[in-house]
C-alpha cells in the first residue's frame, strides 16, 4: 500500500487498522507524515477499536468511519453515505496540513495555560454558575487534546463538550482527556450536575441538553444538521439556564452546527471564541460563526484554552 501510495499519490486513502505485515497505525506516519496523503480510518465497534481509532486521529488521520459489523463487515454499504462525505472532506485537506498534523503528533507538549485563581482540588463538586460549551467535529479529538488539558483545575465554570461521534467512541475520548487534564473529564451518562472544574462529553449518538435544575439529559431525538449529538441543542439549552454566563467555543469541523447557538450567546451577552482557519483541519463550523459576525475572538488552537479562561473570568 505504501509503495502504491508513493507512485500513485491518491487524493485520499481509507485505512484499516488490522492488516498483515504492517498494520494501519504503523503505516499512518508514512502515509500522512511523509507523503501528506489524507487518511480516513475504518474502525471496528469495540473498545479496543475505539482506543486505536483515537490513537490514529492523534497521529494525523483526518477522520474515521466505524464498520457496521466487525472486522470484516461485508455489509460496508451500510455506512456508504457517511464514508463518501468523509472521504470528500478529507480530499480538501492540503498535503501541508496533513504533514503538520502528523508532525505535531511527535512534538512534546509545551507548557502553557495558567491558574484562574489559587488552586483547589480537581473537581470540587460545586455547582457551576458559569458554563463553557465546546463544539467540534472533523479534527476535533486531536484539537480537544490541545485545549482541555490546558484548562486549570480551578476554572470557575462547568464545561460541556459536543464532539460529533457515533456511539461507542466518546468514552475512550473522555478517558484519554481525563488522563491528560487538570480538570475531571467524563462521558455524560445523564442526570449529572454541571459542576466547576469538570467537563462532560456528550455520548456518541445521543443529544445532550441542559435541564432547568443544572443537570444534563441525554436523548435520542432526531438528528439536527444531520448529526447527533448536535452542538446547537447543547449550547441553546445551556443559554436557557445560564444566559450571559455562557461561553461558546467552536473549533474545527464540517458544516455549521453551533452557529445559530453562538449567535444567541452573543445576543445574551455571553462570550464566543472560534478556532482560526490556520489550525483547523476543516474550517467549516468556525467559518459559519465568523462570517455571520458572531465570534468575539478568533484564535489559533494553542491560544483557545487561555481565551476560555479569560472569557470565563470576564463574565
Amino acid at each position: 500500500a505504501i509503495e502504491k501510495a508513493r507512485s500513485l499519490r491518491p487524493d485520499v486513502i481509507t485505512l484499516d487498522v488490522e492488516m498483515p505485515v504492517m498494520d494501519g497505525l504503523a503505516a499512518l506516519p508514512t502515509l500522512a507524515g511523509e507523503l501528506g496523503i489524507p487518511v480516513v480510518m475504518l474502525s471496528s465497534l469495540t473498545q479496543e477499536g475505539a482506543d486505536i481509532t483515537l490513537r490514529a486521529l492523534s497521529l494525523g488521520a483526518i477522520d474515521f468511519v466505524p464498520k457496521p459489523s466487525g472486522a470484516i463487515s461485508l455489509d460496508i454499504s451500510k455506512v456508504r453515505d457517511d464514508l463518501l462525505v468523509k472521504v470528500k472532506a478529507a480530499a480538501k485537506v492540503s498535503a501541508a496540513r496533513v504533514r503538520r498534523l502528523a508532525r505535531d503528533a511527535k512534538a512534546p507538549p509545551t507548557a502553557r495555560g495558567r491558574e484562574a485563581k489559587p488552586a483547589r482540588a480537581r473537581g470540587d463538586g460545586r455547582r457551576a454558575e458559569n458554563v463553557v460549551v465546546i463544539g467540534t467535529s472533523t479534527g476535533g479529538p486531536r484539537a480537544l487534546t490541545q485545549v482541555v488539558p490546558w484548562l486549570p483545575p480551578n476554572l470557575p465554570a462547568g464545561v460541556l463538550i459536543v464532539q460529533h461521534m457515533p456511539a461507542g467512541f466518546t468514552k475512550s475520548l473522555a478517558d484519554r482527556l481525563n488522563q491528560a487534564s487538570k480538570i475531571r473529564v467524563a462521558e455524560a451518562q445523564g442526570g449529572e450536575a454541571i459542576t466547576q472544574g469538570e467537563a462532560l462529553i456528550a455520548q456518541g449518538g445521543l443529544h445532550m441538553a441542559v435541564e432547568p435544575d443544572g443537570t444534563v439529559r441525554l436523548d435520542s431525538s432526531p438528528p439536527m444538521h444531520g448529526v447527533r449529538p448536535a452542538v446547537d441543542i447543547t449550547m441553546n439549552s445551556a443559554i436557557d439556564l445560564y444566559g450571559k454566563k455562557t461561553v461558546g467555543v467552536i473549533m474545527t469541523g464540517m458544516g455549521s452546527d453551533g452557529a445559530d447557538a453562538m449567535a444567541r450567546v452573543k445576543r445574551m451577552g455571553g462570550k464566543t471564541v472560534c478556532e482560526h482557519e490556520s489550525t483547523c483541519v476543516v474550517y467549516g463550523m468556525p467559518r459559519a460563526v465568523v462570517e455571520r459576525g458572531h465570534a468575539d475572538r478568533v484564535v489559533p488552537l494553542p491560544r483557545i484554552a487561555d481565551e476560555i479562561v479569560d472569557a470565563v473570568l470576564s463574565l
Side-chain angles (χ1 to χ4, degrees):
I2 288 176
E3 290 174 359
K4 289 288 187 182
R6 283 199 173 107
S7 62
L8 299 176
R9 296 290 172 139
D11 297 309
V12 181
I13 289 178
T14 61
L15 185 62
D16 202 326
V17 172
E18 300 172 357
M19 298 186 296
V21 185
M22 176 183 282
D23 66 23
L25 287 184
L28 187 56
T30 300
L31 297 175
E34 177 189 329
L35 302 179
I37 298 172
V39 171
V40 176
M41 302 300 295
L42 292 173
S43 172
S44 60
L45 281 169
T46 64
Q47 186 61 50
E48 182 183 13
D51 292 341
I52 293 173
T53 298
L54 288 170
R55 175 69 177 149
L57 294 174
S58 73
L59 291 173
I62 301 301
D63 211 335
F64 74 97
V65 174
K67 298 178 186 177
S69 59
I72 304 301
S73 286
L74 298 178
D75 56 350
I76 195 72
S77 60
K78 289 182 178 178
V79 296
R80 174 183 186 272
D81 292 343
D82 191 26
L83 183 58
L84 289 175
V85 167
K86 291 182 177 180
V87 164
K88 290 175 180 177
K92 296 177 182 178
V93 182
S94 69
R97 180 70 52 87
V98 173
R99 289 190 182 99
R100 193 184 72 201
L101 292 173
R103 183 182 68 244
D104 289 349
K106 299 178 182 178
T110 55
R112 66 174 185 268
R114 52 184 168 69
E115 298 297 303
K117 57 186 177 182
R120 62 170 189 269
R122 182 191 196 207
D124 65 2
R126 285 192 283 178
R127 288 291 185 114
E129 297 181 1
N130 309 302
V131 68
V132 178
V133 183
I134 301 174
T136 187
S137 185
T138 311
R142 172 188 162 274
L144 288 168
T145 64
Q146 297 191 44
V147 174
V148 180
W150 302 107
L151 296 176
N154 48 41
L155 183 73
V159 180
L160 302 177
I161 299 170
V162 180
Q163 165 66 48
H164 294 165
M165 261 186 171
F169 291 86
T170 43
K171 185 179 186 306
S172 289
L173 175 61
D175 289 346
R176 287 171 68 93
L177 289 172
N178 187 55
Q179 291 170 7
S181 301
K182 305 178 185 77
I183 66 171
R184 182 176 296 144
V185 184
E187 181 191 55
Q189 302 301 306
E192 298 98 326
I194 300 170
T195 56
Q196 294 191 159
E198 297 190 8
L200 293 172
I201 297 182
Q203 263 193 52
L206 296 173
H207 291 307
M208 180 171 68
V210 177
E211 296 278 54
D213 65 355
T215 62
V216 297
R217 181 189 79 247
L218 303 179
D219 68 64
S220 57
S221 55
M224 177 179 283
H225 311 299
V227 295
R228 189 175 59 209
V231 182
D232 271 328
I233 286 178
T234 302
M235 196 177 293
N236 272 316
S237 64
I239 299 163
D240 291 340
L241 178 62
Y242 291 94
K244 65 181 181 181
K245 297 291 188 177
T246 304
V247 176
V249 182
I250 297 294
M251 303 195 302
T252 177
M254 290 186 291
S256 61
D257 185 23
D260 291 340
M262 290 282 274
R264 270 194 77 203
V265 173
K266 194 166 177 64
R267 285 199 304 271
M268 293 291 287
K271 303 296 182 181
T272 56
V273 180
C274 282
E275 182 179 353
H276 192 273
E277 181 178 8
S278 62
T279 57
C280 286
V281 175
V282 177
Y283 187 54
M285 288 165 56
R287 182 199 296 272
V289 180
V290 172
E291 290 185 347
R292 297 178 196 184
H294 301 315
D296 293 322
R297 300 287 291 166
V298 182
V299 297
L301 193 57
R303 290 176 51 193
I304 288 180
D306 279 347
E307 290 294 338
I308 290 173
V309 174
D310 287 341
V312 168
L313 296 180
S314 68
L315 292 176

